[in-house]
């Protein structure tokens, strides 16, 4: 090979970029695992892994880091590459953070109606946004990428493959390591909602890879309204489409994404949007803090699994995630006027949740 054809300046920049990302990771602590004791469940324990403590405030920080490293090591990103992503918010916030770290221009194609706070956070990290109808985010991201000669991160395709599911401090390895000294070190269920499907793929694969865990633990994926993942899981049809967007930002999709891996999922549960939002209001009283809507989806499903365990006389634990904080949703999920405008009645679900505290049906 003629080494004069090698771009050593670009190679040097990539090496330095990887080092910057790894140094940023080295400065970051692991996220906390919160043990939640519920009087109504004396023999079942709920664990919440708090992903809101990442530098960009959400679970998507892990994904964004992995997407950048994957693209850098594949030779897709150089010092002048414009980064483009289709994202409803949190992934774009995290990708904007890493773009600023590397000195790159970042453009997020977001769905119309995404919360103002997320747009502001993307801008805080130097990112730009383009708002389009939900069905157009993919095509518009690809158009902008082609126009600018940039790189389309395409989280919905690559999320399931950019993380080493066998370990290397992925979220599953971190979760099970933190559970190691608990009374029920191997949970009966891990619950995860799906946006790209990448996190559920990582968890499901890790469970199967670790034979000791596979003998005890199952994965349940919770899906909100206005999402096709549950129907795809039930029918196997990869071509399902709907024209509406999910109310629960960050999860639920109008089409089956390439990163969604149904074969590593043991069960799916559909969660009403009113139940998801009621759950985060209930959690606020329990934890003394606000969480995002997808956390409500996760916890509602987790509590229903705990109810099944209680009915069966089965002791054990269920683990799930706090995906992000609720400060991003003050004008939606925590705004009574917005809740009323959506026609959502939280009262029956709040009453249902109070059963978890009293020992009644939860």
């Amino acid at each position: 090979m003629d080494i004069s054809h090698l771009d050593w300046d670009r190679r040097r920049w990539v090496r330095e970029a990887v080092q910057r990302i790894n140094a940023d990771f080295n400065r970051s602590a692991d996220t906390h695992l919160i043990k939640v004791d519920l009087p109504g469940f004396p023999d079942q324990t709920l664990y919440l892994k708090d992903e809101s403590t990442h530098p960009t405030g959400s679970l998507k920080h892990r994904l964004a880091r992995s997407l950048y490293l994957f693209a850098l090591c594949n030779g897709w990103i150089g010092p002048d590459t414009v980064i483009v992503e289709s994202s409803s918010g949190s992934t774009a916030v995290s990708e904007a953070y890493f773009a600023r770290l590397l000195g790159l221009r970042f453009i997020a194609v977001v769905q119309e109606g995404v919360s103002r706070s997320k747009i502001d956070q993307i801008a805080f990290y130097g990112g730009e946004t383009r708002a389009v109808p939900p069905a157009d985010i993919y095509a518009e991201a690809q158009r902008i990428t082609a126009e600018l000669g940039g790189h389309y991160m395409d989280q919905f395709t690559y999320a399931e493959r950019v993380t080493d599911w066998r370990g290397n401090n992925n979220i599953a390895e971190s979760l099970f390591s933190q559970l190691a000294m608990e009374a029920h070190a191997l949970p009966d269920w891990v619950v995860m909602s799906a946006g790209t499907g990448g996190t559920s793929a990582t968890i499901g694969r890790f469970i199967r890879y670790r034979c000791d865990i596979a003998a005890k633990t199952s994965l349940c994926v919770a899906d909100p309204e206005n999402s096709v993942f549950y129907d795809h899981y039930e029918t196997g049809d990869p071509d399902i489409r709907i024209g509406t967007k999910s109310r629960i930002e960050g999860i639920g999709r109008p089409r089956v994404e390439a990163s969604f891996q149904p074969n590593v999922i043991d069960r799916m549960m559909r969660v009403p949007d009113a139940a998801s939002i009621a759950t985060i209001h209930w959690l606020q009283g329990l934890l003394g803090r606000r969480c995002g809507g997808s956390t409500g989806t996760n916890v509602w499903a987790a509590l229903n699994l705990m109810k099944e365990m209680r009915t069966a006389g089965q002791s054990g634990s269920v683990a799930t995630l706090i995906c992000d904080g609720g400060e991003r949703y003050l004008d939606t999920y925590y705004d009574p006027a917005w809740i009323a405008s959506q026609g959502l009645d939280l009262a029956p679900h709040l009453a249902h949740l109070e059963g978890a505290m009293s020992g009644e049906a939860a």
Side-chain angles (χ1 to χ4, degrees), residues 3 25 30 33 119 121 140 191 241 244 293 315 339 353:
I3 62 172
F25 173 73
D30 200 356
L33 184 66
I119 299 297
Q121 284 183 307
E140 180 63 9
V191 178
R241 300 285 191 278
T244 53
S315 61
I339 293 171
L353 288 160

Side-chain angles (χ1 to χ4, degrees), residues 60 66 72 115 117 154 203 222 224 231 296 355:
K60 298 299 186 179
S66 295
L72 285 163
S115 64
S117 60
D154 194 3
I203 294 171
D231 292 327

Side-chain angles (χ1 to χ4, degrees), residues 31-361:
T31 58
H32 303 294
L33 184 66
I34 302 168
K35 182 175 181 283
V36 183
D37 293 311
L38 300 173
F41 295 96
D43 300 315
Q44 299 82 29
T45 305
L46 175 65
Y47 291 95
L48 305 176
K49 187 162 176 58
D50 187 3
E51 294 293 290
S52 72
T53 58
H54 284 294
T56 53
S58 82
L59 166 68
K60 298 299 186 179
H61 194 83
R62 293 181 188 267
L63 172 59
R65 180 195 297 124
S66 295
L67 284 165
Y68 272 92
L69 289 172
F70 189 75
L72 285 163
C73 294
N74 274 310
W76 298 340
I77 296 177
D80 301 313
T81 305
V82 178
I83 307 300
V84 182
E85 181 61 284
S86 52
S87 169
S88 61
S90 288
T91 302
V93 171
S94 298
E95 288 188 20
Y97 170 92
F98 285 104
R100 187 175 75 171
L101 183 70
L102 302 182
L104 300 174
R105 182 184 178 190
F106 175 76
I107 302 173
V109 179
V110 302
Q111 299 176 2
E112 292 174 340
V114 70
S115 64
R116 182 71 238 176
S117 60
K118 286 189 176 179
I119 299 297
D120 291 342
Q121 284 183 307
I122 294 167
F124 174 79
Y125 291 118
E128 307 165 33
T129 54
R130 308 284 189 271
V132 298
D136 296 338
I137 62 170
Y138 313 97
E140 180 63 9
Q142 291 167 340
R143 187 195 67 77
I144 293 172
T145 301
E147 178 183 300
L148 299 178
H151 172 63
Y152 178 27
M153 280 293 198
D154 194 3
Q155 59 167 324
F156 298 109
T157 294
Y158 294 107
E160 58 88 13
R161 70 193 68 172
V162 297
T163 298
D164 184 353
W165 50 266
R166 291 161 294 191
N168 193 25
N169 197 41
N170 68 39
I171 191 168
E173 182 181 53
S174 174
L175 171 64
F176 284 99
S177 295
Q178 291 175 319
L179 284 166
M181 298 182 68
E182 301 299 310
H184 301 287
L186 295 180
D188 296 83
W189 291 95
V190 175
V191 178
M192 183 62 213
S193 48
T196 61
T199 302
S200 61
T202 296
I203 294 171
R205 288 165 173 164
F206 184 83
I207 288 171
R208 284 156 175 77
Y209 177 67
R210 284 282 301 274
C211 298
D212 56 329
I213 298 172
K216 172 71 172 176
T217 304
S218 299
L219 171 64
C220 176
V221 170
D223 204 32
E225 297 174 23
N226 301 320
S227 176
V228 302
F229 287 143
Y230 179 90
D231 292 327
H232 170 58
Y233 181 79
E234 290 292 309
T235 67
D237 182 359
D239 299 318
I240 303 173
R241 300 285 191 278
I242 57 173
T244 53
K245 70 172 184 177
S246 172
R247 281 195 195 96
I248 310 302
E249 289 188 24
I251 61 172
R253 300 300 305 160
R255 71 177 193 183
V256 180
E257 303 295 351
S259 281
F260 183 70
Q261 301 294 311
N263 292 331
V264 304
I265 298 167
D266 299 296
R267 177 175 174 178
M268 286 199 69
M269 190 180 298
R270 177 166 279 160
V271 178
D273 290 349
S276 296
I277 297 169
T279 301
I280 59 175
H281 285 264
W282 175 77
L283 272 176
Q284 184 177 2
L286 189 66
L287 302 178
R289 51 178 292 194
R290 294 186 177 98
C291 300
S294 56
T295 301
T297 307
N298 290 343
V299 173
W300 178 268
L303 290 171
N304 277 274
L305 291 168
M306 292 169 67
K307 176 187 173 184
E308 292 178 6
M309 293 169 62
R310 183 178 63 189
T311 299
Q314 177 186 353
S315 61
S317 63
V318 177
T320 189
L321 274 59
I322 296 175
C323 297
D324 62 359
E327 293 74 17
R328 298 176 176 181
Y329 310 101
L330 298 180
D331 57 349
T332 54
Y333 307 143
Y334 292 95
D335 180 1
W338 182 89
I339 293 171
S341 75
Q342 298 296 306
L344 299 173
D345 183 6
L346 307 191
H349 302 289
L350 287 168
H352 193 65
L353 288 160
E354 287 304 319
M357 299 299 288
S358 66
E360 300 170 1

